[in-house]
Amino acid sequence: MQFQQLQYFVAVAETRHFTRAADLVHVAQPSLSQQIKALERELGADLFLRARGNITLTDAGEALLPLARRILADADTARHEVQELVQLRGGRVRLGATPSLCTGLLPDVLRAFHDRYPGIRLLIEEGGSHDLVRELARGALDLALVVLPLPTPSPALTTVELLREDLVVVSSPEAPAPGGPGRRTVRIADLEGERLVMFRHGYDLRELTVAACRAEGFEPDFAVEGGEMDAVLGFVRAGLGLAVVPRMVAARSGRGLRVTPLARPGLHRTIALAHRSDVAPPRAARELQRMLLER
């Protein structure tokens, strides 16, 4: 008994017509008929009653049909499972993330993912949440780490909250402490009159910091603006000003920096993992998603 013969048998059983069944499985009708006859000889029983073009199942055919369908379904499952495993030995994952997350959250997770799946290439795109949402929508990314709420909410995206992160103030140890000597925390209001090192436009942290200052009734004073994360931290180390950054970034980059928590209620940001709602991420991307959610 051959797998192909069972495919042909099920096709005839479902269409009750040899020619239509042959079209369905993309084979010439004489070849399909020969394979059905070979299957009947193998089983020692007729599977179809053929009377003036009217095709019906015999008792043997009725008994075989659910078994044949189960065998074909199991074969499809086996093929799918093997392909899933093969995808984890090679291929790529296209992940978008804000620069601060590339610095703070991702290194440890990506190292663990690479150790487990060394054959999968990791393609990382840094950008603000607005840019990453656009890249997801056009299919250029499989997953993206974005800051909620999204700048432009999209029903085409599915988001899963990953973490809520505190923001802190970083400064040069050689500069005066923000808020005055001996302060263990600093308020947003204490940043009035301080020179800030500010991220470029489109950076989520820029919008959050500026909005917090305005809520306290003042416009922030920029000493330098327009940088990415590494540049901002470098300028702060050089004593050009203060910056508001995620706690994880400060923890990883704290060498040469003074880290001062914000007084309650402080500032926070919510990080989410996003992907398109209409397209399931590839197997490798789903595995990275699982590792991020379980980190």
Side-chain angles (χ1 to χ4, degrees):
M1 187 185 303
Q2 299 176 12
F3 180 76
Q4 189 178 58
Q5 291 171 339
L6 294 178
Q7 286 181 306
Y8 295 171
F9 162 71
V10 170
V12 175
E14 291 178 346
T15 62
R16 303 301 171 101
H17 197 283
F18 277 80
T19 301
R20 285 198 290 270
D23 291 339
L24 187 65
V25 296
H26 308 292
V27 68
Q29 189 270 328
S31 297
L32 179 138
S33 296
Q34 290 172 9
Q35 290 297 321
I36 294 293
K37 288 187 177 296
L39 178 60
E40 290 175 326
R41 287 195 300 270
E42 171 73 19
L43 295 174
D46 289 338
L47 299 174
F48 297 103
L49 294 173
R50 305 163 177 83
R52 298 180 181 177
N54 185 27
I55 306 299
T56 58
L57 286 165
T58 64
D59 289 345
E62 293 282 4
L64 178 62
L65 183 59
L67 298 173
R69 283 174 170 156
R70 189 184 312 158
I71 291 169
L72 295 176
D74 287 346
D76 282 342
T77 299
R79 184 182 301 109
H80 178 72
E81 290 296 324
V82 170
Q83 287 173 346
E84 294 276 89
L85 289 173
V86 168
Q87 287 183 33
L88 291 176
R89 296 194 192 109
R92 68 180 184 183
V93 176
R94 302 169 301 170
L95 174 67
T98 63
S100 59
L101 291 172
C102 288
T103 302
L105 171 67
L106 282 182
D108 291 340
V109 176
L110 294 187
R111 180 182 61 192
F113 183 84
H114 178 70
D115 289 346
R116 187 174 298 180
Y117 307 110
I120 296 175
R121 288 185 300 129
L122 293 166
L123 305 178
I124 308 301
E125 178 169 331
E126 292 186 80
S129 294
H130 181 80
D131 294 335
L132 296 177
V133 166
R134 185 177 64 248
E135 293 300 287
L136 273 176
R138 73 180 188 90
L141 295 174
D142 301 312
L143 301 170
L145 289 164
V146 296
V147 178
L148 296 182
L150 294 177
T152 307
S154 171
L157 294 182
T158 296
T159 58
V160 179
E161 187 172 322
L162 197 60
L163 61 95
R164 190 167 182 260
E165 185 179 19
D166 293 337
L167 303 184
V168 297
V169 176
V170 291
S171 58
S172 169
E174 299 175 1
R183 291 281 296 276
R184 293 188 176 183
T185 61
V186 62
R187 300 170 302 161
I188 290 295
D190 295 328
L191 300 183
E192 184 174 8
E194 296 280 4
R195 301 278 280 166
L196 300 184
V197 178
M198 186 50 65
F199 301 95
R200 63 171 171 79
H201 284 282
Y203 229 86
D204 300 288
L205 288 169
R206 179 190 180 103
E207 314 306 326
L208 190 58
T209 302
V210 170
C213 292
R214 288 173 177 168
E216 292 294 329
F218 70 94
E219 285 292 322
D221 183 13
F222 299 153
V224 184
E225 62 175 313
E228 299 283 349
M229 180 59 69
D230 288 343
V232 166
L233 295 175
F235 295 150
V236 171
R237 286 190 187 95
L240 291 172
L242 316 177
V244 177
V245 303
R247 183 182 293 276
M248 279 191 296
V249 171
R252 295 186 70 97
S253 309
R255 190 174 181 180
L257 291 173
R258 177 197 292 120
V259 179
T260 308
L262 284 164
R264 293 182 179 181
L267 281 181
H268 317 274
R269 64 174 187 169
T270 301
I271 308 301
L273 193 57
H275 63 82
R276 287 177 59 178
S277 303
D278 58 338
V279 179
R283 178 68 179 86
R286 296 202 304 274
E287 182 62 15
L288 177 57
Q289 181 181 38
R290 183 190 66 78
M291 293 179 70
L292 282 165
L293 292 172
E294 293 179 356
R295 61 168 238 304

